[in-house]
Amino acid sequence: MNRRIFLTKLAAAVGTLAATRVIAQTHNMGGNMAGHDMGNMNMSGHNMGNMKMGEMHGGGLLPESALPQNLPLPDLKKLINTSSQSNYFSATLTAKPVKLQLTPELNTEFWAYNDQIPGPAIEVFEGDTVEITLKNELPQATTIHWHGLPVPPDQDGNPQDEIAPGASHTYKFTLPEGCAGTYWYHPHGHNTVAEQAFRGLAGVFIVKPKQDPLAHIPVQNWLMSDLKLSSDGQIADNSMMDWMNGREGQFVLINGASKPQITLNQATRARIWNACSGRYLDLALNDADIYVIGTDGGLLLKPHQVKSLLLSPGERAEILIVPRKSTQQNLKALAYNRGKMGNVPEEVTRDLASIVMTQDSLPTLPEQLRALPLLGQPTAVKKLEYTETMEMGKGMNFLINGKKHDMNRIDLTSKLGEVEEWEIFNNSHMDHNFHIHGTQFTIINHQLNGQVHQPEYIGHKDTINLKPYERVRIKIAQHHKGLRMYHCHILEHETLGMMGQLNVI
């Protein structure tokens, strides 16, 4: 029996076992399932007892038509700078539960920064000093991870540096010149990342250059996120399938809105974030030319035209959209098969937004958008292997080099400033991606099915997808001493152990 069929049958068997235990617990407890761990079926230490039967197979959810659609795209509200000093950004974020009215009939409790979903947009310039105080009014400990930003490890919200409920912490760092790009922030506590993210804790962080070569082109910001609501309009707990495959809600939101209307009156620059827990977004738009002009860590050397743009969870991009005609089209997420386990629905193409476009031509662009710094020749090599195992009675294990994340273990050591080559091998049947904290890397090549190919374009990345049995080689260097995390950014897989720790000395 091949590995794929084996895993599918094993997942189905575990699902049957879990369902049987849920029924037994419901009967024994008079229907009250909260706080119980389903016997031994606890997904490697994560409480599954509050899983509702309808959620085992995606049922018991609010229909997609329940939320208002085709309303104008909301702007991302900005975090106000309270500092009067030049080149200094100071503000406060408060993380707490808040009830938001999604419809006249629905009040849903989210966990939010400053009562906003998404959280406030932070906009600064390269060279600025940033000081942000987080007040934790959640029922859990939390942190803020400044995803992709070149900040010192002790300011990057590692799980070792949690902020207890009722406490606060001030993060402070100075952003170096040359780091302008499209970043974001979200929690990174120990074993709580998946839940805190799907309850709403995320926001964008934009670092602007002092001289923007594309300043003459209008900009829009599109933060894409998942929302999974149960039939009563509340945020649903993770099902067993969510833990195995990565959570996907029935709603894909842009700036917190379901299928909004977006207006492009001319050629437009769009910053796009995939802030979903587990959903891959293969974005496409008819009747427009699409050029990738930036990746996670900033602008490319020159634009690269694409037919569609695949963003795995945590990835970002900047694109230039040039409407070929005046028309209305749907922004689509094309069906993408990432090899999910178990008896899951077939992947389908989804409409994410209605785009009203006015015909335009390609605007004048500089010969090069930016000069990409070259890291030089690697002098050290590191190898990572992603694997998955499933144990009856214990659940899924998502591993790097055969190990689950351990806060007390250092997995790798690097020297400050040394250029390294990392080879990441996805030795599993499903897509996983790779994210590393505190720096950007460039891709050397991909290897799949015995074929080696170069990347379509070179840009600064902190998150990259790997298809099943694909190897990706990257060039990377760390510029701050201390502890760094690296992991799959499918948040359920990260939470269940697909994470390692790098000590920079």
Side-chain angles (χ1 to χ4, degrees):
M1 183 183 299
N2 69 40
R3 186 168 181 266
R4 172 65 173 165
I5 295 173
F6 169 75
L7 285 171
T8 300
K9 290 188 174 183
L10 188 53
V14 173
T16 302
L17 174 64
T20 303
R21 287 178 174 165
V22 169
I23 294 170
Q25 287 183 343
T26 303
H27 176 75
N28 293 336
M29 297 183 296
N32 180 10
M33 296 166 56
H36 294 266
D37 67 358
M38 289 173 57
N40 292 327
M41 184 55 204
N42 65 357
M43 292 303 290
S44 301
H46 290 265
N47 191 327
M48 301 287 287
N50 53 8
M51 186 196 305
K52 300 176 179 63
M53 280 299 297
E55 294 169 4
M56 280 283 189
H57 302 287
L61 301 178
L62 200 67
E64 286 189 62
S65 59
L67 296 189
Q69 301 175 5
N70 210 38
L71 297 177
L73 177 73
D75 290 330
L76 294 174
K77 297 179 181 178
K78 294 181 182 179
L79 186 63
I80 302 301
N81 184 10
T82 60
S83 172
S84 59
Q85 301 178 48
S86 59
N87 306 119
Y88 203 99
F89 186 96
S90 179
T92 297
L93 290 171
T94 300
K96 68 177 183 179
V98 59
K99 288 192 176 181
L100 300 178
Q101 191 170 24
L102 301 181
T103 73
E105 298 80 25
L106 288 181
N107 280 296
T108 303
E109 182 175 285
F110 291 85
W111 292 357
Y113 295 117
N114 292 11
D115 299 339
Q116 294 179 212
I117 297 292
I122 300 173
E123 291 191 6
V124 300
F125 286 89
E126 54 187 5
D128 284 359
T129 295
V130 178
E131 183 180 292
I132 294 178
T133 297
L134 174 65
K135 295 181 179 180
N136 182 13
E137 297 181 11
L138 301 171
Q140 298 176 351
T142 191
T143 75
I144 294 182
H145 168 50
W146 311 103
H147 184 122
L149 285 166
V151 306
D154 62 356
Q155 302 301 312
D156 204 16
N158 286 340
Q160 288 83 356
D161 300 321
E162 288 185 320
I163 305 162
S168 63
H169 176 77
T170 298
Y171 297 94
K172 186 176 180 180
F173 46 85
T174 299
L175 296 170
E177 301 286 342
C179 73
T182 302
Y183 307 98
W184 60 305
Y185 63 94
H186 59 80
H188 216 292
H190 182 54
N191 286 340
T192 58
V193 175
E195 179 179 10
Q196 292 187 11
F198 75 61
R199 293 193 181 279
L201 291 168
V204 308
F205 196 118
I206 298 170
V207 182
K208 295 183 175 182
K210 292 181 177 178
Q211 299 294 328
D212 188 351
L214 303 177
H216 59 294
I217 302 174
V219 180
Q220 293 194 16
N221 297 319
W222 300 351
L223 175 69
M224 300 183 179
S225 61
D226 256 350
L227 180 62
K228 184 178 182 181
L229 297 178
S230 57
S231 56
D232 62 359
Q234 299 309 302
I235 294 176
D237 293 309
N238 266 350
S239 68
M240 184 188 69
M241 289 299 180
D242 290 333
W243 283 113
M244 288 198 303
N245 294 316
R247 181 185 179 96
E248 293 185 357
Q250 72 269 44
F251 304 101
V252 180
L253 308 180
I254 304 181
N255 296 358
S258 177
K259 298 181 181 178
Q261 184 177 100
I262 299 173
T263 301
L264 303 180
N265 291 322
Q266 62 189 97
T268 300
R269 176 184 182 182
R271 295 181 185 265
I272 305 175
W273 292 257
N274 183 349
C276 299
S277 295
R279 184 183 298 280
Y280 281 54
L281 297 170
D282 192 7
L283 303 173
L285 179 64
N286 291 333
D287 295 324
D289 293 326
I290 307 297
Y291 301 86
V292 178
I293 57 174
T295 47
D296 302 330
L299 295 176
L300 305 179
L301 181 67
K302 58 183 180 179
H304 179 83
Q305 189 169 5
V306 295
K307 292 183 178 179
S308 67
L309 174 66
L310 178 65
L311 294 178
S312 65
E315 281 190 278
R316 294 88 62 211
E318 294 183 57
I319 62 173
L320 178 62
I321 306 171
V322 183
R324 291 195 298 265
K325 61 173 69 174
S326 296
T327 185
Q328 182 167 329
Q329 289 286 352
N330 287 329
L331 175 66
K332 295 181 180 295
L334 303 178
Y336 181 78
N337 180 9
R338 57 185 180 89
K340 296 176 187 174
M341 288 180 280
N343 183 19
V344 296
E346 183 179 354
E347 300 295 338
V348 297
T349 293
R350 302 175 63 103
D351 292 334
L352 302 185
S354 173
I355 311 285
V356 179
M357 302 184 291
T358 301
Q359 183 179 0
D360 200 3
S361 57
L362 182 68
T364 301
L365 300 175
E367 285 192 16
Q368 68 176 38
L369 302 180
R370 72 179 292 193
L372 291 176
L374 300 176
L375 286 177
Q377 193 67 24
T379 55
V381 175
K382 288 181 167 57
K383 294 188 177 183
L384 303 181
E385 181 183 30
Y386 283 0
T387 54
E388 309 155 357
T389 64
M390 182 179 284
E391 301 177 66
M392 293 296 289
K394 293 185 179 180
M396 287 296 302
N397 293 309
F398 294 94
L399 311 175
I400 300 180
N401 290 348
K403 299 176 182 178
K404 294 177 65 174
H405 173 234
D406 184 341
M407 292 240 291
N408 298 311
R409 185 186 68 233
I410 299 298
D411 298 286
L412 299 171
T413 300
S414 293
K415 294 179 181 179
L416 184 70
E418 183 172 27
V419 179
E420 299 181 326
E421 178 184 304
W422 288 40
E423 180 184 281
I424 305 105
F425 175 35
N426 179 13
N427 190 16
S428 80
H429 76 285
M430 72 186 304
D431 284 44
H432 292 285
N433 67 9
F434 170 80
H435 169 59
I436 190 164
H437 290 196
T439 193
Q440 300 287 314
F441 55 77
T442 56
I443 300 167
I444 300 172
N445 59 39
H446 303 256
Q447 181 178 334
L448 183 63
N449 298 326
Q451 301 294 317
V452 177
H453 61 92
Q454 306 301 312
E456 291 183 45
Y457 46 87
I458 299 295
H460 285 175
K461 300 283 295 173
D462 54 63
T463 308
I464 183 68
N465 188 52
L466 293 95
K467 295 179 181 179
Y469 310 111
E470 181 177 17
R471 297 177 191 267
V472 173
R473 294 167 63 231
I474 64 174
K475 191 186 297 186
I476 189 171
Q478 290 282 353
H479 302 290
H480 295 276
K481 290 184 178 181
L483 188 66
R484 294 295 193 193
M485 320 304 293
Y486 55 88
H487 55 85
C488 175
H489 214 279
I490 296 174
L491 296 183
E492 282 69 31
H493 297 170
E494 169 192 343
T495 303
L496 291 176
M498 194 170 264
M499 180 158 61
Q501 301 191 152
L502 169 74
N503 188 33
V504 182
I505 59 175

